[in-house]
Amino acid sequence: MARLVMKFGGSSVADIDRIQNVARHVKREVDAGHEVAVVVSAMAGATNQLVKFCRDIAVLHDQAEYDAVVASGEQVTSGLLAIALQTLGIPARSWQGWQIPLETSDQHGSARIAAIDGAPLIAGFAKGQVAVIAGFQGIHRETGRITTLGRGGSDTSAVALAAAVKADRCDIYTDVDGVYTTDPRVVPKARRLDKIAFEEMLEMASLGAKVMQVRSIELGMTHNVRIFVRSSFDKPEDIDPHRPPPGTLICDESEIMEHEVVTGIAFSRDEAQISVRSVEDKPGVAAAIFGPLSDANINVDMIVQNVSADGKTTDLTFTVTAADFERAKDTIEKARAAIGFARLDTATDVSKVSVIGIGMRSHAGVAASAFRALADRGVNIRAITTSEIKFSLLIDSAFTELAVRTLHTLYGLDKA
């Protein structure tokens, strides 16, 4: 017998038929003797509609009331799934974030989890009860107000709850059947990974892979919660709960016997480049540029500095997300007097391609081979950043798919 947390996203609970399909997935695990908690998202499209309601009433709305509205989507799903389970003869009850309680910070719309009391759920397990929990939400203890965890918050809820109840595994059911070496829509030869280390998955999620939310991976790594990504569209009756199911296990690297040099290729088209030209090369210039950006809560990614031949001036190039581009450009322009640059060059037709793998730690020349392969295909590299287990390249957007396919083949990731 194992203790499982099962999480189902919006597409998995999009309508009554799919909610009943989820109930059969849960029943399969209960019938196998497992203790089960289920975390659910709002039905597909429900949160977007609730957000629209808020914006239609007031563009600048109160964030605490916004949370009270958008959290209701998960409340509906949790109640419906509990009813569906009861009709199958399974004792179940719904839980809202505030009832457990799942305590958070008071940053409405993007709250962070502070503490979870897993005791009520564990007490329910002892009675054979399935807990159906509304994801994405919690409560701020001091104010007593409902909070929401931001984009992908149900993943975060599920992993945090798995840690709180000491679950053997947290199964993330989604519309794909695992984590792939890259996006199969771009590289048809991409293959599903059986296992991937937390660090690798964290890099892939933060660099463009859409399968998992970054904060949920961070929580899994911190609390060593084994996370299993699997498809909710597999027929429940076709899966043997006593055998390893199809999917990808995200786990500590000690569970992976042999590491490939490269595990996967991630990419993001959501990038913009800003170059601050002819800045005086002296102490404090970088702070004058990046300080205002930090104050504006704009995250900067890749940074490249080039000093002129005479050593008197420098060019600083950096990237931000496309969503932050206009704000970042405006912030730099407003700080022009303090920075003292000659001009600002920008580009929005750029993409970031990243190569990830723990095996890079013990292999030299991994990045160099990529540079050669891309040069042979006529792909120009605008900027490069590296870390212990990944390197990222900024290129023109037009070459994104060519670069991803080239690197995927170069590192032997194509299906055999």
Side-chain angles (χ1 to χ4, degrees), residues 202-272:
L202 187 59
E203 291 284 10
M204 290 188 71
S206 64
L207 294 168
K210 302 288 193 265
V211 177
M212 287 287 297
Q213 197 258 3
V214 173
R215 282 167 61 193
S216 62
I217 302 300
E218 290 175 340
L219 273 172
M221 185 162 60
T222 300
H223 298 283
N224 199 23
V225 175
R226 301 166 82 245
I227 302 168
F228 199 83
V229 181
R230 56 193 297 187
S231 174
S232 63
F233 299 117
D234 292 333
K235 290 184 178 180
E237 56 273 15
D238 291 346
I239 299 172
D240 183 349
H242 300 290
R243 300 183 62 186
T248 301
L249 179 66
I250 306 171
C251 58
D252 187 82
E253 65 176 287
S254 63
E255 289 194 48
I256 303 174
M257 190 70 66
E258 277 291 334
H259 292 285
E260 299 291 338
V261 176
V262 171
T263 299
I265 314 290
F267 63 94
S268 170
R269 295 186 173 95
D270 181 33
E271 303 293 325

Side-chain angles (χ1 to χ4, degrees), residues 21 42 46 51 100 114 151 162 186 200 243 348 354 360:
N21 183 64
V51 170
I100 296 173
R151 184 178 177 85
V186 172
E200 294 171 319
R243 300 183 62 186
T348 54
S354 304
M360 289 188 202

Side-chain angles (χ1 to χ4, degrees), residues 68-383:
V69 173
V70 298
S72 65
E74 282 73 17
Q75 180 172 334
V76 171
T77 312
S78 62
L80 289 173
L81 180 56
I83 292 170
L85 287 167
Q86 290 166 7
T87 62
L88 295 177
I90 297 172
R93 68 152 287 185
S94 63
W95 293 82
Q96 309 315 305
W98 61 268
Q99 292 175 312
I100 296 173
L102 189 154
E103 297 181 30
T104 74
S105 65
D106 63 350
Q107 190 173 357
H108 289 280
S110 57
R112 299 191 73 85
I113 297 172
I116 302 177
D117 182 4
L121 305 182
I122 293 171
F125 295 153
K127 302 173 186 176
Q129 186 181 80
V130 172
V132 185
I133 302 149
F136 178 62
Q137 61 176 254
I139 186 171
H140 184 248
R141 174 63 75 183
E142 293 180 16
T143 62
R145 299 301 302 266
I146 291 172
T147 57
T148 62
L149 307 180
R151 184 178 177 85
S154 292
D155 283 355
T156 305
S157 299
V159 177
L161 284 160
V165 301
K166 296 180 171 55
D168 295 282
R169 197 176 71 218
C170 179
D171 287 357
I172 304 291
Y173 286 79
T174 182
D175 52 4
V176 295
D177 62 351
V179 179
Y180 279 71
T181 49
T182 195
D183 188 338
R185 292 169 297 184
V186 172
V187 183
K189 292 181 179 180
R191 55 186 171 83
R192 189 181 68 212
L193 298 164
D194 293 327
K195 292 182 179 181
I196 184 171
F198 286 121
E199 285 183 83
E200 294 171 319
M201 190 66 233
L202 187 59
E203 291 284 10
M204 290 188 71
S206 64
L207 294 168
K210 302 288 193 265
V211 177
M212 287 287 297
Q213 197 258 3
V214 173
R215 282 167 61 193
S216 62
I217 302 300
E218 290 175 340
L219 273 172
M221 185 162 60
T222 300
H223 298 283
N224 199 23
V225 175
R226 301 166 82 245
I227 302 168
F228 199 83
V229 181
R230 56 193 297 187
S231 174
S232 63
F233 299 117
D234 292 333
K235 290 184 178 180
E237 56 273 15
D238 291 346
I239 299 172
D240 183 349
H242 300 290
R243 300 183 62 186
T248 301
L249 179 66
I250 306 171
C251 58
D252 187 82
E253 65 176 287
S254 63
E255 289 194 48
I256 303 174
M257 190 70 66
E258 277 291 334
H259 292 285
E260 299 291 338
V261 176
V262 171
T263 299
I265 314 290
F267 63 94
S268 170
R269 295 186 173 95
D270 181 33
E271 303 293 325
Q273 176 183 320
I274 298 175
S275 296
V276 186
R277 302 295 188 189
S278 300
V279 182
E280 188 178 353
D281 188 24
K282 64 179 182 180
V285 168
I289 294 172
F290 298 114
L293 292 170
S294 175
D295 293 340
N297 200 29
I298 297 170
N299 288 324
V300 173
D301 185 14
M302 310 175 88
I303 301 173
V304 178
Q305 182 173 3
N306 296 311
V307 180
S308 63
D310 61 11
K312 293 181 179 180
T313 62
T314 184
D315 293 342
L316 268 164
T317 297
F318 59 91
T319 63
V320 296
T321 63
D324 284 336
F325 171 63
E326 291 296 340
R327 284 199 309 126
K329 188 170 68 169
D330 184 59
T331 299
I332 296 298
E333 288 284 9
K334 287 178 178 177
R336 187 173 197 134
I339 300 169
F341 58 88
R343 74 177 193 274
L344 212 57
D345 291 341
T346 62
T348 54
D349 56 345
V350 294
S351 294
K352 180 173 62 180
V353 177
S354 304
V355 177
I356 300 115
I358 281 180
M360 289 188 202
R361 289 174 177 163
S362 55
H363 288 78
V366 179
S369 62
F371 304 154
R372 285 193 297 271
L374 293 178
D376 290 343
R377 302 304 296 271
V379 179
N380 183 49
I381 299 171
R382 290 170 169 257

Side-chain angles (χ1 to χ4, degrees), residues 50-63 66:
L50 294 168
V51 170
K52 185 177 184 299
F53 287 155
C54 293
R55 289 176 177 166
D56 286 349
I57 289 177
V59 175
L60 298 175
H61 44 256
D62 182 275
Q63 281 298 107
Y66 168 91

